[in-house]
Amino acid sequence: MTTPAISSREAEVLDLLGEHLSNAEIAARLFISVRTVESHVSSLLRKLELPDRRALSRRSPGGTAPRPAAAPLPAPLTPFVGRAREQAELAEAVTAGRLVTAVGPGGIGKTRLALAVAARAAGDFPDGVCFADLVPVTDPGRVAAAVAAATGVGEQPGRSLDDILPAALADRRALLVLDNCEQVREGVAPFLERLLTACPGLHVLATSRARLMVPFERVFPVPPLSRVGGGRSEAASLFLERAAAVGRAPDPAEYDHVTALCERLDGMALAIELAAARWSTLGLDGLTAGLSDQLRILAGGPRADGRHRSVRAVLDWSHDLLAPEDRALLRRVSVFVVPFTAQAAAEVAGFAPLDPAAVADGLGRLAEQSLLSVTPSAGGTRYHALETIRQYGAERLAGTGELGGVRGRHLAWSLDAAAALAEDAAVAGGSPLGPQSAPQGGAAWRVRFDAVADDLRAALAWAAGLPEHRPDAHRLARALASCAFARNLLGEAQQRHEQAARLAADDADAAAALRQAAGVAGCRRLGDDMYRLHRAAGEASRRAGDPAAAARDLAAAATVAYRFSSTFERIPEAAEARALLDEARGQAAAGGDPAAEAALALAEAAVVADAFGAVQGDADNSAADTVAAAERAVDLALRAGDAVARSAALDALSGAQSWAGDPFAAAAAARHRLGLLDRAGAAAPAATHELVDALAMAAATAIGTGELPQARDWGERLAGRPLLAEVGDHATSWLLVADALAGRADDVLATSPRFLDAWERTGRQRSFSLGPAAAAVAMVHGLRADRGARTAWLATADRAGAEDDHRHGHGAVFDSIVLLHHGDPAAALERTAPEPEAVWKWVCWVWLHWYAALRAEASVLAGHPEAAARTAAARDLVTGNPVATALADRAQALLDGDPQRLLATADAFTAAGCPYQAARTLLLAGGRHAADGAAALDALGLRTGTTGPAAAH
């Protein structure tokens, strides 16, 4: 049989699956939408005849080990036996009901039944089936994170998973299997109520020892295996199948004994499987004797019903058959919540009476007796106890008095593991903004972290509640925060930094952790959190007796209020920010701290001079005063020697110079800022936040000065950052603008689906960069005379950006290009009717040169009486901007009727990296040059035919 051909794009997706990337990260890497990635993954599964994403990762040329996230359904290692009636009834219930909970005691077979039903019902859910095991989840607040991993939904800056998941799953008709809900039931119930309300096509099949207690839940009690039918019953069939797998199958003459044994076990699936595992060595007589003589009855409250006691009896009996050393090992490894290695077990469980060197052999014996399962991995063989057995071991551990000691050793192991992971991430430049060739140590690092992350979280949860372990909990929270940030789990990184602040032994350490949390909040575009956390750090520094640090923190909060005002839910009022600035000045009154002076200078440039053009800023500020304030902030930041502080001050200077009408100075400051951060390296959250902002500003200001190739390079670099994998609209915005202005239509059409998909998934946000990006795509469709697509993208531009920006700034520029392309200079002239000075607020930053030059050309082609004056003014204004200068020179050549100068501008456009305008120059030259211009437009993916002025609207 031949294997179906795999396309080049599918091969790229398969290769990235081997790096254990999410669908969103793959989409970011390949500049395609998340839905397109999902389609390619489905096609690969079908073509390669593989069961799930893990198998694809192994098949990938770069694959190493299955990533422990987002598998549709686990593949059972043994056949499913019996339960035909329950399968049919539960499948019908799942299809008809939104939430069905399969309930029953541990070991009755809820998980295997749920998996069988999910596979059976998969055809009724066109968007697939996902599986989330909640066993490793110890915090009810992390249920959403487990479901996000199962469904392939990642974090997004500025939004919580409780908001992201409903938006991502709203239009899916899918089945979500939630296994082992009982331990976090208080988190599962409200989460599912919110999720199912927002996602009408989503169905959930949950397994739990108790119902979830939500009003729309349908409960399906899972009964014991039937013993009706003697040796052909479900219970007996399960025993016979499992017994045959480990040795000789019972003879038909022994079926009555098998039936009696299964009856003694109350039809409990786990009990039957454990008994069958002993069949080859003990026989039916030995099994029966073991149950009769060593039965242990579970003592407890009303939950301890007969079936639960039967499982306990088998576990007690299996436990008592073990050698003392193996009993100790079984109970001690119960502290691991996810699969662990022999080395990890030796470190945690290897103390008297156990020899650490003998732990590996003991794990093998426990696996042989079906008390541990064995899984191969890139990091070595891993062991895992079924949850019922793990909980049994934990109870045994508590009863021996060893619990505190073993938990302490598990904590020490977790501290070492987290520290090593954090160190490796830092050495590799472990930032979500690091180079794609070596982020976080690559796929191997991600696999290592994912393999132990839930154990680190469990150790932290235990240690955080014990005063004697508070210092260790603080250290673990800090290391886990760093690892989560390197793993691009920004929500958890912020949570862990804040937790580290609460666990800190002194206020100085708390302030340091709060600053880190503020940096992560910045990466997440959460202005309110940045503001809150910097203020909290200021208070902690004040309590620590460090007025200089308090001044820095309070000044940072005041700066955030203005610099990132567009990312706030509640924008701090000007009076509030000024009060913070006054507090910071008071703390720094003693003087002498360069960093505090630099932070105060930046806050004054932001709050007093409004260098960032904040939402709540004063529109009447003097441009000269603003530039002077920003320059002072830059000088003081240089003295302080802090690259992040210098970057922020340069950002203020870039903004101030743009308000002053000097785009070249603004671009130079942005470029200086980016170079500074590149040299310093951006691994910490605050530096990472600065770098992503610097990339966006460098690309934008380069567009403003006509440096399109450089703008494209920075735009591509921004679009490829793992930090922005889930927010492809922000990531691709300036790349789209640069490509559109250059006329690279094919590139714009290839990138725009990622922009639109992310913009819709993230709640259709508004931003100063999103509006221009959507308008740029609309412009390309306008050049191609695709009126329908242009209209749709113009509607997106109206919703993604500010109305005045579109009317007077970027919208006027893009619309004019389309109108001129289609031979309607009168309409283009009307679109740019206001003098640049009248619309400076909307054009001064990026669009001033484009606006003035296009206005001059429209004036010439429309025969406006002031065409000569406007062209001369434009040529003076745009000097130094290669594209705008060529536009103004072309207008002058058209005005003068000088064909040689006109053709010379085509070469100027080509040299400036603007092939569209070069081609249009040839069309304007006419004659024999027109055919060359038409061919050049075709090569760019633009239609040369025009349908008249109406096509531009």
Side-chain angles (χ1 to χ4, degrees), residues 151 385 895 920:
T151 55
L895 183 65
R920 186 164 180 275

XYZ file of all heavy atoms in Angstrom, residues 151 385 895 920:
31
model
N -7.433 21.284 24.564
C -8.103 21.780 23.363
C -7.174 22.555 22.445
O -7.596 23.058 21.413
C -9.292 22.681 23.748
O -8.834 23.730 24.622
C -10.365 21.869 24.453
N 1.664 5.416 38.701
C 0.649 4.602 39.344
C -0.735 5.056 38.910
O -0.975 6.256 38.741
C 0.767 4.703 40.868
N 4.019 67.282 -13.241
C 3.626 68.691 -13.357
C 4.417 69.380 -14.475
O 3.842 70.174 -15.247
C 3.875 69.395 -12.017
C 3.461 70.869 -11.919
C 1.943 71.009 -12.050
C 3.925 71.445 -10.588
N 3.982 51.449 -11.003
C 2.985 52.468 -11.333
C 3.616 53.626 -12.107
O 2.978 54.246 -12.965
C 2.321 52.986 -10.047
C 1.182 53.934 -10.343
C 0.271 54.155 -9.148
N -0.765 55.082 -9.556
C -0.642 56.402 -9.542
N 0.480 56.948 -9.100
N -1.622 57.173 -9.964
